[in-house]
Amino acid sequence: MINKRKLELYENLFRHLGPGAHTITVSAIGETMNCSERHARTLLKQMSERGWLCWKPARGRGLKGSLTCLLEPLQACYNEVDIATEQGKYDVAHKLIGFNDRNVASALKQYLTHATIESENTVHAPFHRKLSWLHPHYAMERTERHLIHEVFQTLVTSSEKKFTGELAHSWNHCQYYRSWTFYLRTGVVFHDQTPLSAFDVVDVVESLQALATSPYWSRLYDHIDSSVQTPPIK
């Protein structure tokens, strides 16, 4: 994981040289980044591995090599923030976005605008605190409950005593209303594009039953004896 200081050093180098190819000595690079020649070589290698620049050293001490800055410093920052957020290292992303004394709030807004343009199907929602586990039985804060309502779907939903199918397109019951069968909609997928199956529904119901240890939640599942998956209708 890259740190904020390396981004700052790269921006200093970019400001000094600009984009395009340049001939320069390692000593001059070290002076620009305020470090020794040895450390400058290490930084050049690391920045090259990140795809920020291309460095072709000359053979012989004191000779000029070829240095090409490939990315704008801000784009290099965005790439690193993408990696940090994908790994769940949001504290690192927060530090990176404010490199070289940038205003974090303003820089974050600019990054989110950039990210939205890059991926129109992705929603970024910065929040002032760390969100708790988005599990129906554990989330108690209003924000988490709202997100759960937006993210999770149920088999059916009710409004003004009228039931409407969500994951289930239809359902029926036995003569004594003790056995219910739900027919799932086709083409339903999870966030990672894994198709939804009856096995997933049964697994969720059984998991909720197992986790419902408090009287408040257990009363929602006490009436369920068992859940089974039936073969699909052909």
Side-chain angles (χ1 to χ4, degrees):
M1 176 63 65
I2 208 75
N3 59 39
K4 183 175 72 170
R5 181 57 181 160
K6 289 186 176 66
L7 279 171
E8 293 171 345
L9 292 175
Y10 177 67
E11 185 168 53
N12 294 343
L13 185 64
F14 187 91
R15 287 174 176 173
H16 180 73
L17 297 176
H22 302 271
T23 55
I24 188 172
T25 63
V26 176
S27 176
I29 293 173
E31 290 178 5
T32 302
M33 295 194 291
N34 195 27
C35 65
S36 66
E37 290 187 27
R38 182 177 180 180
H39 189 46
R41 290 190 179 91
T42 301
L43 290 171
L44 288 171
K45 180 181 178 181
Q46 293 174 345
M47 293 176 182
S48 179
E49 290 172 349
R50 308 301 286 190
W52 299 357
L53 54 77
C54 177
W55 167 244
K56 297 179 181 179
R59 294 182 178 274
R61 185 175 179 83
L63 298 179
K64 293 183 178 181
S66 175
L67 176 64
T68 304
C69 293
L70 302 175
L71 292 180
E72 293 275 349
L74 203 55
Q75 184 59 55
C77 173
Y78 290 164
N79 291 351
E80 298 303 321
V81 171
D82 287 342
I83 294 172
T85 53
E86 287 173 3
Q87 296 176 347
K89 299 178 180 179
Y90 303 110
D91 55 334
V92 174
H94 185 270
K95 293 177 181 177
L96 291 174
I97 206 74
F99 79 109
N100 259 344
D101 297 324
R102 284 172 168 79
N103 180 277
V104 174
S106 177
L108 180 60
K109 182 178 180 180
Q110 188 175 359
Y111 166 74
L112 293 176
T113 301
H114 162 83
T116 302
I117 295 173
E118 290 290 316
S119 178
E120 295 183 355
N121 295 324
T122 302
V123 176
H124 298 270
F127 202 59
H128 66 88
R129 63 173 173 82
K130 183 178 180 180
L131 296 174
S132 59
W133 187 18
L134 295 181
H135 190 289
H137 285 176
Y138 293 96
M140 295 298 174
E141 298 291 340
R142 183 170 59 182
T143 299
E144 279 82 347
R145 300 298 301 175
H146 173 75
L147 289 174
I148 286 173
H149 178 75
E150 295 298 322
V151 171
F152 288 85
Q153 281 187 288
T154 54
L155 290 173
V156 298
T157 185
S158 62
S159 177
E160 298 180 355
K161 298 182 179 181
K162 180 181 179 181
F163 290 93
T164 305
E166 282 203 345
L167 294 177
H169 64 79
S170 60
W171 53 93
N172 55 42
H173 53 78
C174 69
Q175 179 181 358
Y176 302 103
Y177 292 84
R178 293 184 58 85
S179 176
W180 290 75
T181 303
F182 296 90
Y183 301 93
L184 301 180
R185 290 191 290 115
T186 59
V188 178
V189 296
F190 289 97
H191 67 284
D192 61 355
Q193 303 305 305
T194 302
L196 174 73
S197 69
F199 172 81
D200 297 311
V201 176
V202 171
D203 184 59
V204 168
V205 172
E206 291 178 346
S207 297
L208 291 173
Q209 285 180 285
L211 289 171
T213 55
S214 70
Y216 181 83
W217 294 115
S218 61
R219 63 187 177 88
L220 298 176
Y221 307 103
D222 282 345
H223 60 286
I224 300 177
D225 293 329
S226 63
S227 304
V228 295
Q229 173 188 2
T230 57
I233 298 175
K234 297 183 179 180

